[in-house]
Amino acid sequence: MELTTVWFILIAVLWCGYFLLEGFDFGVGMLLPVLGRDDRERRLLINTIGPVWDGNEVWLLVAGGATFAAFPEWYATLFSGFYLPLLLILVALILRGLAFEYRGKSDSPQWKRYWDWAIIGGSIVPAVLWGVAFGNIVRGVPISAEHEYVGGFFNLLNPYALVGGLTTTSLFLLHGAVFLALKTDGEIRARAGAVAVRVAVPAVVLAAGFLLWTQLTHSDVWGWVLSGAAAAALIAGVLAARARREGWAFICTGATIVLAVAALFVTLFPDVMPTTLAGGDSLTTTNAASTPYTLKVMTWVAVCFTPIVLAYQAWTYWVFRRRLRVEHIPAGGH
């Protein structure tokens, strides 16, 4: 297997990991005003992701760095063409990170309310825009023969990409609700389970519609297989959530996200960014790649350090595996 293909697969794995882990972070943030009826309950919700959210974002940093090093043409065209939505995602993630750190610095209800809205907005904006971005990557955008994006911002707001944004948002909401039902106990657990069941209907409809639209347009055999597996996992997750089997529900919703993202990358290959222009030139794993020497060095680095990072993150989740209750949150604390 060529190193260009290996790195395309590795980047796909990084995005799968990012959406799997950051997906429930976004879901928890979006559900903050729904499940948190008072400050103590909202602090409980934030504490469920407090030890892990920044580690989950490492997957995004590594995915971006790997794309820059392995496929610089892809990175340059992507960030120049998608500049505004990616900037909005970056600002939203910064504000959300600040909110986690600064929300408890004052007892003022107004102060906490402002940061709560930063968490909510910092979760909704990336959840929507990541779906829009990946929808456009798979669909194709106007790229010239010189590999330059020649469209505008409104080219990105096409029906297919917007459905992609709604799909990621609904899946992250479901994933977050299931995570909260798994990570909490008592009344919050019951509420989160009920929300998961309600969110499941639009999530199933949107995910099925988006994946079906994708495969009818591109008609890739493995894309059909992975899309079918994602649909089956999603239905199994919904049934598990209804039966209050939170562990299985979380595994299934996580598998749905991973399989759906994998289906998009399989459908995209060997392109990394197709063009919609008749005289344009699509970016592929071949013409967008770095030199063989660069890819070889990157491969050895990945082989050495990836197991360490995975082991550390797995250990973190194991340490903070206990369910949380409102009683664990001190009254009147930060």
Side-chain angles (χ1 to χ4, degrees):
M1 184 183 297
E2 295 183 359
L3 285 179
T4 53
T5 303
V6 170
W7 274 97
F8 179 86
I9 295 172
L10 288 176
I11 290 171
V13 170
L14 289 169
W15 280 108
C16 287
Y18 174 66
F19 286 134
L20 167 66
L21 299 175
E22 190 82 317
F24 66 75
D25 286 352
F26 292 148
V28 171
M30 288 187 282
L31 290 171
L32 194 64
V34 178
L35 296 177
R37 297 180 179 176
D38 56 35
D39 180 62
R40 200 175 179 189
E41 290 185 349
R42 288 190 287 273
R43 284 160 50 209
L44 171 65
L45 298 180
I46 294 171
N47 283 352
T48 61
I49 59 174
V52 298
W53 70 267
D54 48 354
N56 294 343
E57 288 191 351
V58 170
W59 289 77
L60 173 62
L61 299 176
V62 178
T67 304
F68 172 77
F71 300 102
E73 288 269 9
W74 184 14
Y75 183 92
T77 304
L78 177 66
F79 276 78
S80 61
F82 293 24
Y83 179 80
L84 182 56
L86 291 178
L87 177 63
L88 291 174
I89 290 173
L90 178 61
V91 171
L93 292 177
I94 291 173
L95 288 176
R96 190 181 67 130
L98 289 173
F100 288 141
E101 299 296 333
Y102 282 91
R103 184 186 185 277
K105 299 299 183 182
S106 172
D107 290 326
S108 167
Q110 187 175 23
W111 170 271
K112 292 184 177 181
R113 187 162 54 250
Y114 286 152
W115 289 117
D116 285 346
W117 280 110
I119 294 173
I120 297 164
S123 301
I124 294 174
V125 170
V128 174
L129 291 184
W130 279 131
V132 172
F134 271 85
N136 278 292
I137 291 173
V138 174
R139 173 182 176 271
V141 292
I143 300 175
S144 68
E146 292 76 29
H147 295 168
E148 294 182 2
Y149 178 79
V150 293
F153 173 72
F154 291 102
N155 289 101
L156 305 178
L157 302 180
N158 53 81
Y160 175 76
L162 292 175
V163 172
L166 293 174
T167 300
T168 52
T169 304
S170 63
L171 286 177
F172 293 162
L173 269 172
L174 176 61
H175 197 40
V178 170
F179 172 79
L180 287 172
L182 175 65
K183 196 69 176 65
T184 62
D185 209 348
E187 190 176 348
I188 293 289
R189 177 185 179 184
R191 278 189 236 150
V195 168
V197 173
R198 290 198 297 269
V199 171
V201 175
V204 169
V205 173
L206 286 166
F210 180 69
L211 291 174
L212 182 61
W213 190 348
T214 301
Q215 297 312 318
L216 288 176
T217 304
H218 295 84
S219 190
D220 182 271
V221 174
W222 282 107
W224 278 109
V225 172
L226 290 171
S227 296
L234 181 56
I235 293 172
V238 173
L239 294 176
R242 290 178 63 89
R244 297 198 64 180
R245 301 292 298 273
E246 292 97 349
W248 283 109
F250 184 74
I251 291 172
C252 290
T253 56
T256 299
I257 293 171
V258 170
L259 290 167
V261 175
L264 295 181
F265 273 94
V266 165
T267 301
L268 185 62
F269 185 80
D271 291 335
V272 294
M273 208 164 178
T275 184
T276 56
L277 293 181
D281 187 19
S282 296
L283 294 173
T284 68
T285 55
T286 302
N287 64 21
S290 291
T291 63
Y293 179 76
T294 300
L295 296 176
K296 187 179 296 185
V297 172
M298 289 174 59
T299 302
W300 281 111
V301 171
V303 168
C304 293
F305 289 99
T306 300
I308 298 174
V309 174
L310 291 177
Y312 174 76
Q313 192 158 30
W315 175 79
T316 303
Y317 276 92
W318 175 255
V319 169
F320 295 101
R321 66 189 182 279
R322 190 180 65 164
R323 287 183 183 268
L324 299 178
R325 300 176 62 93
V326 174
E327 291 76 14
H328 295 148
I329 308 299
H334 296 320

